Amino acid sequence: MAAGIKTFYRRLPFFKKSSWHSIFSPTETASVGEITRKLALRLTTSEIIEKAVQSAEKQTGYPGSTHWHPYSVSQGHAGIALFFGHLDLCFPNEGWDKHAHNYLTKASLPVETIETPHLGLHTGLAGLAYTTLYLSKEGVFSQTSG
């Protein structure tokens, strides 16, 4: 990759070394990590996602508020891909990147058949582009992820 492009990616905030520190004790941090992993494992199956989407549509008191679009970050596979991508950052070498790329594929494929997809960050193609960039890790997808 050209040096200029690599420098560009390193300037993006999510590629910088974080100075963030947990407010939890080491025991609490381990517990939160374990709960997060258990939740994430449930999200690795598409059936759970489909059931959750259907339940949300039936149970909401605001029918216009649920609109699943696979390419959406806020209500779609792109958001789940972003979640798994961040898990991979927090818990490297646990295989979360594979799930992230699986959901990125699920988010991307329907875009080809949509005549006029939304363009916004949360519900549109800009969010899908951001998710793709985030998962790319400095602009180059991992050889083992795809």
Side-chain angles (χ1 to χ4, degrees), residues 3-24:
I5 293 173
K6 200 163 199 139
T7 301
F8 166 75
Y9 284 109
R10 289 211 171 108
R11 287 184 186 161
L12 296 172
F14 47 85
F15 290 126
K16 293 181 181 176
K17 182 92 171 145
S18 175
S19 61
W20 178 86
H21 299 284
S22 177
I23 60 170
F24 299 114

Side-chain angles (χ1 to χ4, degrees), residues 14-89:
F14 47 85
F15 290 126
K16 293 181 181 176
K17 182 92 171 145
S18 175
S19 61
W20 178 86
H21 299 284
S22 177
I23 60 170
F24 299 114
S25 70
T27 303
E28 291 170 324
T29 299
S31 179
V32 168
E34 200 55 40
I35 291 167
T36 304
R37 286 180 179 100
K38 286 180 182 178
L39 168 68
L41 284 173
R42 292 187 68 198
L43 295 177
T44 60
T45 59
S46 296
E47 293 81 25
I48 294 289
I49 303 299
E50 290 170 19
K51 285 180 184 178
V53 170
Q54 291 170 358
S55 294
E57 291 172 350
K58 291 176 186 173
Q59 295 174 5
T60 184
Y62 303 95
S65 67
T66 59
H67 36 269
W68 182 264
H69 299 290
Y71 58 90
S72 169
V73 171
S74 62
Q75 294 187 52
H77 291 121
I80 299 168
L82 194 58
F83 170 69
F84 279 119
H86 195 69
L87 278 179
D88 185 55
L89 181 68

Side-chain angles (χ1 to χ4, degrees), residues 102-120:
N102 179 36
Y103 275 103
L104 181 62
T105 300
K106 289 180 182 190
S108 302
L109 290 177
V111 172
E112 296 175 10
T113 62
I114 299 170
E115 191 171 317
T116 53
H118 296 109
L119 301 177

